């Protein structure tokens, strides 16, 4: 059975021409959702990709920034709605580090209707994860790790696919060497690339604690990755993004480069 990467959004926090970066790993018809963007636009992305919340029983929220956590409230609401209607089978589990779990739980308590809140801790569970902890999620053994963010505390994860290859998501900031034991040698490296290196004076990625496509390609090469997925980008160059980001990363990386658009599905093997 193929495992796939569902790309719901590819943009940074301030984009308007695409959705904020979030994605899911497939396991048959089931999906493991990672972040949900900044609002109910996640529901639009689901609809366009023919995805139902009934397919999602596990969600990981990486950190508390608005473009990652606010959409998660909508996911909880829609899952609870389906539970209330009797359409949702099983439980729903949300993973995140301590701050994320506390914040998201508080948001849900304050913002959702009583009929939705009633499912919290009954069928909707908030699971705090810690550095190096491994959790079985669908067919994935997912190991979470602190990316040592320079801003809000943020976790990434690494997992092994059915074909034995490793897939690692390093969050929305450049790779930190402190994470090396979790990241090095991954077949698939999912890495942020805020803009092109040639446009760094325009978009100022370093001032925002981000990097360029060339930086990401260089990191992938140093970490001996075979394939790198670049996202969390600006949205002013969408017409040429795929071609130009790929070309720039390939200048310093020998492997395959993927620069997906919103709503692409990438076959992992």
């Amino acid at each position: 059975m193929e495992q796939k990467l569902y790309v719901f959004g590819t943009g940074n926090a301030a984009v308007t021409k695409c959705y904020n970066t979030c994605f899911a790993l497939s396991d048959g018809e089931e999906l493991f959702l990672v972040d949900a963007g900044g609002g109910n636009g996640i529901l639009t992305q689901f609809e366009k990709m023919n995805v139902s919340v009934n397919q999602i029983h596990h969600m990981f929220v990486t950190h508390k920034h608005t473009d990652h956590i606010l959409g998660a409230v909508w996911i909880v609401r829609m899952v609870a709605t389906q539970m209330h209607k009797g359409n949702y089978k099983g439980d729903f589990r949300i993973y995140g580090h301590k701050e994320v779990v506390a914040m998201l739980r508080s948001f849900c308590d304050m913002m959702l209707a009583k009929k939705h809140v009633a499912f919290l801790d009954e069928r909707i569970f908030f699971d705090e994860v810690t550095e190096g902890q491994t959790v079985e999620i669908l067919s994935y053994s997912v190991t979470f790790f602190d990316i040592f963010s320079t801003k809000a505390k943020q976790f990434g994860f690494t997992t092994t696919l059915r074909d034995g290859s490793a897939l690692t998501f390093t969050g929305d900031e450049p790779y930190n060497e402190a994470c090396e034991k979790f990241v090095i040698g991954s077949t698939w490296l999912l890495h942020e690339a805020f803009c092109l290196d040639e446009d760094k004076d325009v978009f100022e990625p370093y001032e925002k604690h981000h990097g360029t496509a060339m930086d990401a390609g260089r990191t992938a090469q140093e970490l001996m990755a075979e394939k790198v997925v670049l996202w969390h980008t600006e949205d002013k160059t969408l017409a040429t993004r795929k071609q130009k980001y790929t070309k720039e990363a390939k200048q310093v990386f020998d492997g395959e480069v993927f620069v997906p658009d919103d709503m692409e599905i990438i076959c992992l093997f």
Side-chain angles (χ1 to χ4, degrees):
M1 181 187 299
E2 287 184 332
Q3 289 178 301
K4 300 176 182 179
L5 178 67
Y6 281 66
V7 181
F8 297 115
T10 56
N12 63 39
V15 295
T16 59
K17 299 177 178 64
C18 57
Y19 193 58
N20 310 124
T21 299
C22 52
F23 63 96
L25 299 178
S26 72
D27 181 30
E29 293 299 313
E30 287 281 315
L31 297 175
F32 166 38
L33 179 62
V34 180
D35 289 333
N40 72 348
I42 187 63
L43 306 182
T44 301
Q45 303 305 88
F46 277 15
E47 185 175 290
K48 290 178 179 178
M49 295 186 74
N50 197 30
V51 168
S52 166
V53 293
N54 294 331
Q55 296 173 251
I56 299 171
H57 291 80
H58 301 269
M59 175 173 63
F60 169 48
V61 182
T62 59
H63 61 299
K64 66 181 183 180
H65 285 167
T66 55
D67 55 317
H68 297 264
I69 198 170
L70 292 183
V73 179
W74 284 94
I75 296 296
V76 174
R77 174 180 174 171
M78 299 311 294
V79 167
T81 297
Q82 292 302 307
M83 288 178 172
H84 185 70
K85 292 180 177 179
N87 296 331
Y88 190 94
K89 296 180 180 180
D91 298 330
F92 180 56
R93 308 203 77 92
I94 304 159
Y95 308 90
H97 63 70
K98 186 175 182 178
E99 289 181 26
V100 163
V101 166
M103 179 176 286
L104 184 55
R105 174 56 197 262
S106 180
F107 283 168
C108 291
D109 282 335
M110 292 187 295
M111 296 178 181
L112 300 184
K114 289 183 179 179
K115 64 181 180 181
H116 298 140
V117 173
F119 289 102
L120 304 186
D121 302 323
E122 293 293 333
R123 293 180 62 193
I124 298 175
F125 300 96
F126 298 84
D127 293 348
E128 179 185 336
V129 296
T130 56
E131 170 80 359
Q133 180 180 355
T134 299
V135 178
E136 298 300 318
I137 299 176
L138 304 179
S139 63
Y140 300 95
S141 290
V142 179
T143 300
F144 298 99
F145 59 88
D146 193 330
I147 74 163
F148 296 95
S149 170
T150 55
K151 298 180 288 188
K153 186 178 184 66
Q154 181 175 172
F155 272 28
F157 72 87
T158 187
T159 189
T160 302
L161 305 178
R162 284 202 186 93
D163 68 346
S165 61
L167 177 147
T168 304
F169 173 54
T170 57
D172 74 353
E173 294 188 28
Y175 160 75
N176 189 310
E177 291 181 355
C179 306
E180 181 179 23
K181 66 180 180 179
F182 297 108
V183 183
I184 192 164
S186 295
T187 303
W188 289 89
L189 180 65
L190 313 183
H191 198 284
E192 66 91 34
F194 196 81
C195 65
L196 293 170
D197 196 74
E198 65 185 53
D199 291 334
K200 61 187 176 184
D201 291 338
V202 176
F203 295 107
E204 301 181 330
Y206 304 130
E207 287 80 352
K208 302 176 180 68
H209 306 277
H210 294 302
T212 68
M214 185 171 291
D215 293 330
R218 189 175 292 113
T219 294
Q221 185 73 13
E222 292 172 353
L223 291 171
M224 298 179 288
E226 296 179 19
K227 305 173 184 182
V228 64
V229 178
L230 305 183
W231 49 22
H232 202 265
T233 77
E234 46 77 28
D235 66 346
K236 303 298 186 292
T237 63
L238 291 185
T240 59
R241 181 178 65 176
K242 187 182 292 288
Q243 176 186 6
K244 288 191 173 182
Y245 277 59
T246 300
K247 182 178 180 180
E248 183 172 284
K250 288 291 290 181
Q251 293 179 40
V252 291
F253 177 55
D254 295 332
E256 291 185 73
V257 178
F258 296 80
V259 184
D261 293 320
D262 287 15
M263 298 176 290
E264 279 193 31
I265 299 176
I266 299 172
C267 290
L268 298 173
F269 70 89

